[in-house]
Amino acid sequence: MNLRPYSYLGLTSLLMVVSGLSQEPSPAATNEPPDVSAVPAKPATAPEPTAPAVSKAAPFVRPQSAIKGLLVQELSAGNYAGKASQMNCTAIEAGDANAISGFAFNQTVGDDMKKALSEVVKHSTVKRGALPRGMRVDFAFEDKYGGKDGPSAAVACALLLDSLRTGADIDGAFAVTGDLNADGSVQPVGGVPAKIRGAANRSCTYVAVPSSAERELVDSVLMEGPAALWDIQVFSIKTFDEALELSSPKRSSEMETALAKFAEVQKVLQAQKNPALLTNPKVQERLTAVLSSRPNCLSAKILLDYGTGKLPKVLSLGGSLSLIDSVTEDFVKHMRSPKPEGVQPDLLGKTISEISKIRTKLDKRTVPFADSIKDYGDVYRTIKANPPHSQSELLKARAQLDTAGSRITVEEGRIRTNKALREEMMK
């Protein structure tokens, strides 16, 4: 789960080769529970006050609840495998009825996930009032023996905790991903297209994702087609309350109608697997009806834009960089090897060809960057095909590689150091 919206692994590695820099390892995740209930220590000189009476908070209505949280594993630069993992939340008595309740994961997690859980507990306290005392609340994934990190499970954890406190059921066909602030606002997470595929593979009917993921999903449709968005109904969420409404099996008549109308379209598209059907006026009419009652149905919105030709023609800035990363990854791995002269001509040719193919799909601001990597490959391939036979030829070849490598650094720097572009990628 420990993901950025877009990965720079491949390109950064290539720049490392050119510049001779090294990468520092990331700190290992620990299994310490999040400090969500610490009470500031009193000064040593302060007199001991009379202990106040402990206020009685409403007890947990149910001892356990479950939800499908969306996980993602980075396979390679810009490529992810998504999975819908059953998550459980269990509340048990801790012994001291007056002690502040503790909240933690029952497996190894990193600092980001601990911080996310801390925000979840704060949000629950603000929304529902004081938490019950004398309890231990454990959160767990079904694959509980592997370490995890990142904030992607925050909304899922918040729904689980809310279910314990209110007794509300969570629909077993629902899955969710998203970070959460204490004020209930849903924050961005990465790898959303892969997570949606993971939810569909787990036979989930619908999924909630942060509203900020819309452009990432559009990028996915531009690269892979629209099928993923008719395999499952995708809704955007901006707040916890929106996630809470979607997660409930007791839906409003408006929501039931929207789900049913989309299901009609979904059935036809899944049967015929033909994106051209999205240009059909009747299909568009039904998608429009879904949006009129549920404007946050991203599946209906993006599929309708696809059918009416309103989707962007090129990838977003971040999506373009991620794509460049993915097509240069194998080349980068060879260049980082102890003997980079072992890079095979067919790999060079493949990398150069792939960059040429994706060029028209890239945000124009990233095209010079992509071209600089392609040009470096061209220079490298030429030198491999015609090895230098003298010292002067060797020096000339090295100078050519240095020049080509420097251009990569310059073009990458124009993006990395541009404040406006960096802010755009973070939206």
Side-chain angles (χ1 to χ4, degrees):
M1 283 185 159
N2 187 19
L3 301 172
R4 295 177 182 272
Y6 299 98
S7 169
Y8 289 84
L9 175 62
L11 298 178
T12 302
S13 300
L14 183 55
L15 295 175
M16 296 285 181
V17 173
V18 174
S19 62
L21 298 177
S22 62
Q23 300 185 72
E24 293 294 330
S26 59
T30 63
N31 194 27
E32 298 178 3
D35 184 12
V36 298
S37 58
V39 179
K42 299 181 179 65
T45 57
E48 287 293 329
T50 302
V54 177
S55 60
K56 293 292 184 181
F60 288 117
V61 177
R62 62 197 306 168
Q64 193 170 60
S65 194
I67 195 173
K68 290 184 178 69
L70 300 180
L71 312 178
V72 70
Q73 178 182 3
E74 187 169 5
L75 301 177
S76 59
N79 297 299
Y80 306 102
K83 178 182 179 182
S85 176
Q86 186 83 357
M87 293 180 63
N88 295 293
C89 182
T90 306
I92 59 177
E93 293 183 1
D96 184 352
N98 292 327
I100 296 174
S101 294
F103 299 82
F105 291 92
N106 72 340
Q107 61 193 92
T108 301
V109 300
D111 289 340
D112 286 346
M113 191 168 284
K114 295 175 189 177
K115 292 175 183 175
L117 181 56
S118 176
E119 292 295 292
V120 166
V121 175
K122 292 175 187 175
H123 168 261
S124 181
T125 303
V126 171
K127 183 175 181 63
R128 302 294 184 191
L131 286 153
R133 286 179 174 259
M135 305 296 292
R136 190 183 84 227
V137 182
D138 288 339
F139 295 86
F141 298 92
E142 62 180 321
D143 48 339
K144 53 184 175 293
Y145 298 107
K148 293 177 177 61
D149 201 5
S152 295
V155 174
C157 289
L159 289 169
L160 287 172
L161 181 55
D162 203 67
S163 176
L164 262 59
R165 301 194 69 178
T166 66
D169 293 327
I170 297 175
D171 193 334
F174 171 76
V176 65
T177 185
D179 190 11
L180 187 76
N181 283 345
D183 64 0
S185 60
V186 176
Q187 301 301 311
V189 293
V192 171
K195 291 175 180 177
I196 290 173
R197 291 192 294 270
N201 291 337
R202 192 67 184 265
S203 299
C204 296
T205 303
Y206 60 115
V207 60
V209 304
S211 59
S212 58
E214 180 175 347
R215 187 59 215 262
E216 190 178 358
L217 292 179
V218 170
D219 284 348
S220 178
V221 170
L222 291 176
M223 291 303 301
E224 302 171 11
L229 292 180
W230 70 54
D231 282 341
I232 188 170
Q233 296 198 49
V234 182
F235 292 86
S236 67
I237 50 174
K238 294 181 179 180
T239 67
F240 171 80
D241 286 343
E242 290 177 345
L244 184 62
E245 179 192 11
L246 285 168
S247 69
S248 175
K250 298 178 181 178
R251 290 181 281 266
S252 65
S253 58
E254 181 186 65
M255 181 66 178
E256 288 288 1
T257 299
L259 290 173
K261 285 185 177 296
F262 187 87
E264 293 174 7
V265 177
Q266 190 176 32
K267 183 178 180 180
V268 174
L269 292 171
Q270 288 178 337
Q272 300 193 29
K273 303 183 187 303
N274 184 4
L277 288 173
L278 293 169
T279 63
N280 185 295
K282 291 184 178 180
V283 171
Q284 293 179 6
E285 180 181 345
R286 284 174 171 78
L287 292 175
T288 300
V290 173
L291 287 173
S292 66
S293 61
R294 304 300 301 187
N296 64 331
C297 182
L298 286 182
S299 285
K301 182 177 187 299
I302 296 175
L303 291 177
L304 183 60
D305 285 347
Y306 182 96
T308 56
K310 294 180 180 179
L311 282 186
K313 304 303 180 184
V314 298
L315 298 170
S316 65
L317 178 62
S320 297
L321 292 172
S322 181
L323 180 59
I324 294 170
D325 246 6
S326 66
V327 302
T328 60
E329 181 192 15
D330 290 341
F331 175 63
V332 169
K333 285 182 178 178
H334 281 79
M335 290 303 297
R336 294 184 68 193
S337 68
K339 296 180 179 180
E341 64 271 18
V343 179
Q344 298 299 313
D346 58 341
L347 175 58
L348 286 170
K350 177 185 175 184
T351 302
I352 293 169
S353 175
E354 287 295 322
I355 293 178
S356 298
K357 288 179 182 178
I358 67 172
R359 197 174 184 275
T360 58
K361 299 177 182 178
L362 300 175
D363 183 297
K364 64 181 181 181
R365 294 166 295 182
T366 68
V367 170
F369 190 10
D371 287 346
S372 68
I373 301 172
K374 174 181 175 297
D375 292 345
Y376 184 91
D378 283 332
V379 172
Y380 190 93
R381 183 168 59 174
T382 299
I383 293 173
K384 284 290 297 178
N386 302 282
H389 297 290
S390 65
Q391 184 65 23
S392 61
E393 289 180 353
L394 178 61
L395 292 174
K396 181 180 179 181
R398 286 178 176 173
Q400 289 174 331
L401 281 174
D402 286 343
T403 299
S406 296
R407 185 185 168 206
I408 295 175
T409 304
V410 170
E411 296 299 343
E412 191 269 349
R414 286 177 179 169
I415 297 173
R416 180 172 56 83
T417 61
N418 187 305
K419 183 179 178 181
L421 296 184
R422 291 172 62 189
E423 290 176 348
E424 180 179 333
M425 286 187 287
M426 294 303 293
K427 289 181 180 179

